[in-house]
Amino acid sequence: MEMAAADHRAAVHANSDDPAEQLAWRRLTARHGDRLGEIMDEYGWPTADLVGEGAARAAWLIAQHADRQLDIQRRALRLMQQAVAAGTAGPRELAFLHDRTLVNEGRKQVYGTQIAGVKDGAPIPWPCEEPDRMDELRAEVGIEPFDAYVAAFAPA
């Protein structure tokens, strides 16, 4: 939970124009990814039943942000898939991690959860495998339609 709190505080620096801030973000997420790897080695995926709801969500966040540690993301994805199949983790979070891992591998995402950038003020998702089915696939795992999702990114 402490790692997730530090992540939230530092996330504003992920895309900073200041290289030192970006480097600090990268070092933080690498340390957190390393620690998550140790936790997965010892316990498997840290489910809510094992560590509590908040800590399970924190583990998912750390896996999401382990962008430069694909081995950690892939292992987290596999373990989380097993946990979802066993009913001990949520399919919504798994979908986000699945898309994040696919994008980091240079592949098309499934659910449209990862935003590539903004064009004419509108968030644009990284390419999707089946863009015409994106909202249908999102609904299957409990994610709101894409337009509702990106509305949260729009300036107020």
Side-chain angles (χ1 to χ4, degrees), residues 26-94:
R26 289 178 182 188
R27 286 180 176 154
L28 177 83
T29 57
R31 280 194 313 275
H32 291 171
D34 290 346
R35 179 65 185 124
L36 179 60
E38 293 169 358
I39 291 167
M40 291 187 297
D41 287 345
E42 189 167 345
Y43 302 102
W45 183 251
T47 63
D49 291 344
L50 185 64
V51 298
E53 197 67 43
R57 181 133 176 100
W60 167 79
L61 178 71
I62 299 306
Q64 274 287 103
H65 289 168
D67 293 320
R68 288 161 200 85
Q69 294 170 290
L70 266 172
D71 58 325
I72 296 291
Q73 267 186 345
R74 287 177 180 133
R75 188 156 44 118
L77 181 63
R78 282 191 307 274
L79 291 172
M80 213 177 167
Q81 286 168 331
Q82 294 168 4
V84 167
T88 58
R92 184 180 197 278
E93 289 76 18
L94 176 62

Side-chain angles (χ1 to χ4, degrees), residues 6-18 21-22 25 65:
D7 184 284
H8 282 296
R9 287 190 303 271
V12 296
H13 303 298
N15 298 312
S16 172
D17 292 333
D18 181 345
E21 289 180 348
Q22 275 194 32
W25 165 255
H65 289 168

Side-chain angles (χ1 to χ4, degrees), residues 105-144:
E105 292 174 337
R107 298 165 54 198
K108 292 181 178 179
Q109 62 179 324
V110 175
Y111 303 98
T113 64
Q114 303 303 299
I115 304 301
V118 177
K119 183 177 181 183
D120 299 326
I124 306 294
W126 283 96
C128 293
E129 289 177 2
E130 298 181 80
D132 295 338
R133 291 192 58 223
M134 186 170 55
D135 280 340
E136 175 189 341
L137 296 168
R138 292 169 72 92
E140 289 174 6
V141 295
I143 302 174
E144 65 270 45

